[in-house]
Amino acid sequence: MSARLGLTLGAITAANMLAWFLLQGYVLATTGAGVQADAFFASLAVPQLVLLVANSSFAHVLIPFFSGKARAQVQGEAMALVLVVGGSFAAVAGLLWLAAPAWVPLVVPGFDAAARTLAVSLARVQVVGMAFSAVSAVLLAACHAQGRFALAESAPLLGTLAAFAAMVVVLPTHGVAGAAWVNVARALVGMLVLAPLLVGAARAPWGAAAGVWARLRPLLLSATYYKSDQLFDRFFTSMGQAGALSLFYFAQQAALAVNSVLGKAISAPAVPRLAVLVRQGDWPQFHRLYRRRLLLLTGASLLCCLAAGAGLALGWPFGGIGQLKLLRGQDLAGALGLFMLMSGVIVGGGAGLILSEAFFTLGDTRTPSLVTAGCFTVGIGMKAAGFSLFGVEGLALATSAYFLSYPAALFLLLEATLARKRTLADAG
């Protein structure tokens, strides 16, 4: 990846994350950090979980699967997967729609009856967009494998910009119910922007879907488990005071946005090259490439955290932060403090991304899945203890600790794996 391409991808992804962040901020500013905002952000929990699972699992498996193939073959295989994935996730969405009155109260046990009823109605709207998001994940993987990184990152940006324009019109007149439908439209627009990738695709080779499923199955199951951390966050914060869920979510999305920008700009473009090196059996070059990306990503993450901390420290006494303190009477300084407590999400999340992708290009989806699931299990207990002792601040610290634990374990295991492969290659 050239430096120019990295900067371009970083700029596009940063623009998308900024637009998404401002979109959520607009909802928070318009409704206020209270019951309606809490219900709206709580209703996003399961659809976002599906999006996270689909994006991470499909990207890690499908990018190596598509890499190095002719365009016509990628189009045909992508068409088959789009049909299978779209139909499967549409069926799951239907089941979630029917069962919403049962599962929503489990996610937010602290809500009163009125808030639960609102959250159920909003969740039923949000799940409609799940199939669109899942199909987009398949198309994004095909784009990355073909080196069409700019298109892959521009599609979500166009969807978010369209949603922002719609939200300004819809939210003041239709409230959070209209805002939920805007989120569905955002997923649809992102999918439609990528859909021309399939134009001219030959008859779908259904065997491609069966071959991919063998790799996807363990990853989907484990990712659904360990990426459900935001469900636990909603569970705990729903038992706090009104607005706690909204502010915690706002800070968490900011940390994840920074992590996503860095990951897309530094990690994602290296995956096709790593996959090619695996096919060539060039383990020394594979080791050098992944280590360079890991160091670059970790260093950039640390710089972002230091810059955010410096900005917070300098802005506070001079009143810069004070201008952001009130959004409908809510103190956003608390959300900024939570963001700093979740710095581990930025540093650990970036390192974990490149380490997981290195394993996936080796065809090993089991090791990162088991490691992350194990660390997540311990992290649930840490979150419960942190929240019970220190409230949302303790929850934020526990979240940082979890995001730092699993990349440390993955690094040790990956180094051992590559050492064995180099030894076997030298012996052969």
Side-chain angles (χ1 to χ4, degrees):
M1 179 191 66
S2 66
R4 174 178 291 183
L5 177 58
L7 290 174
T8 300
L9 293 178
I12 295 174
T13 307
N16 182 43
M17 292 298 103
L18 178 60
W20 170 248
F21 185 67
L22 292 175
L23 182 64
Q24 306 309 300
Y26 179 73
V27 174
L28 188 62
T30 303
T31 62
V35 173
Q36 288 205 22
D38 283 353
F40 175 78
F41 293 126
S43 71
L44 285 168
V46 169
Q48 281 190 334
L49 171 62
V50 172
L51 178 60
L52 286 171
V53 170
N55 277 342
S56 62
S57 302
F58 292 168
H60 295 322
V61 172
L62 293 181
I63 292 177
F65 175 76
F66 288 137
S67 294
K69 296 180 179 179
R71 180 177 179 180
Q73 183 179 358
V74 172
Q75 283 183 311
E77 291 174 344
M79 175 65 79
L81 290 168
V82 160
L83 294 175
V84 172
V85 168
S88 300
F89 277 80
V92 171
L95 292 175
L96 288 173
W97 189 94
L98 291 172
W103 61 263
V104 170
L106 298 177
V107 176
V108 286
F111 279 12
D112 60 24
R116 283 198 302 271
T117 300
L118 178 59
V120 167
S121 65
L122 295 175
R124 281 180 156 171
V125 175
Q126 304 277 17
V127 297
V128 174
M130 286 172 43
F132 304 141
S133 298
V135 169
S136 294
V138 175
L139 297 176
L140 285 169
C143 283
H144 277 281
Q146 293 182 318
R148 302 173 70 177
F149 303 115
L151 173 61
E153 301 311 318
S154 297
L157 174 59
L158 292 174
T160 304
L161 292 176
F164 198 103
M167 191 73 79
V168 173
V169 176
V170 170
L171 182 60
T173 56
H174 299 283
V176 288
W181 281 110
V182 169
N183 273 341
V184 173
R186 172 178 176 265
L188 175 61
V189 171
M191 184 192 74
L192 292 177
V193 172
L194 294 169
L197 183 74
L198 300 177
V199 173
R203 185 174 62 86
W206 297 105
V212 168
W213 176 244
R215 291 188 178 186
L216 271 177
R217 182 174 53 194
L219 193 59
L220 284 172
L221 292 174
S222 60
T224 300
Y225 174 61
Y226 67 75
K227 286 189 177 295
S228 63
D229 58 333
Q230 293 192 40
L231 296 183
F232 287 94
D233 295 336
R234 305 295 204 286
F235 179 90
F236 291 122
T237 53
S238 73
M239 293 183 283
Q241 63 182 7
L245 187 151
S246 301
L247 294 180
F248 185 91
Y249 171 85
F250 195 63
Q252 185 181 56
Q253 292 304 299
L256 291 172
V258 175
N259 183 31
S260 179
V261 170
L262 295 176
K264 293 290 180 64
I266 298 174
S267 177
V271 175
R273 177 58 181 161
L274 288 172
V276 171
L277 291 172
V278 170
R279 292 195 180 101
Q280 296 172 345
D282 191 346
W283 303 117
Q285 184 61 25
F286 182 97
H287 186 262
R288 285 192 292 271
L289 178 58
Y290 117 76
R291 287 289 293 269
R292 285 199 299 268
R293 297 291 170 166
L294 178 62
L295 290 173
L296 181 59
L297 193 52
T298 302
S301 299
L302 288 171
L303 286 175
C304 286
C305 292
L306 290 173
L312 183 61
L314 292 174
W316 196 284
F318 290 102
I321 298 299
Q323 300 302 318
L324 301 176
K325 275 190 176 183
L326 294 180
L327 264 181
R328 281 285 185 96
Q330 299 299 323
D331 188 0
L332 277 189
L336 293 170
L338 290 173
F339 172 79
M340 292 308 304
L341 292 175
M342 283 191 274
S343 294
V345 172
I346 301 173
V347 178
L353 180 62
I354 187 61
L355 288 162
S356 295
E357 287 176 341
F359 269 109
F360 296 145
T361 55
L362 294 173
D364 183 359
T365 59
R366 181 181 177 85
T367 298
S369 299
L370 290 176
V371 168
T372 310
C375 292
F376 174 69
T377 302
V378 176
I380 294 173
M382 295 170 60
K383 287 188 175 188
F387 182 77
S388 63
L389 292 173
F390 305 109
V392 291
E393 289 81 8
L395 186 62
L397 284 172
T399 301
S400 277
Y402 158 64
F403 270 86
L404 290 169
S405 64
Y406 72 85
L410 286 176
F411 175 77
L412 296 175
L413 291 171
L414 181 58
E415 287 292 310
T417 298
L418 292 178
R420 287 195 299 271
K421 289 186 176 295
R422 288 198 302 270
T423 300
L424 290 173
D426 292 340

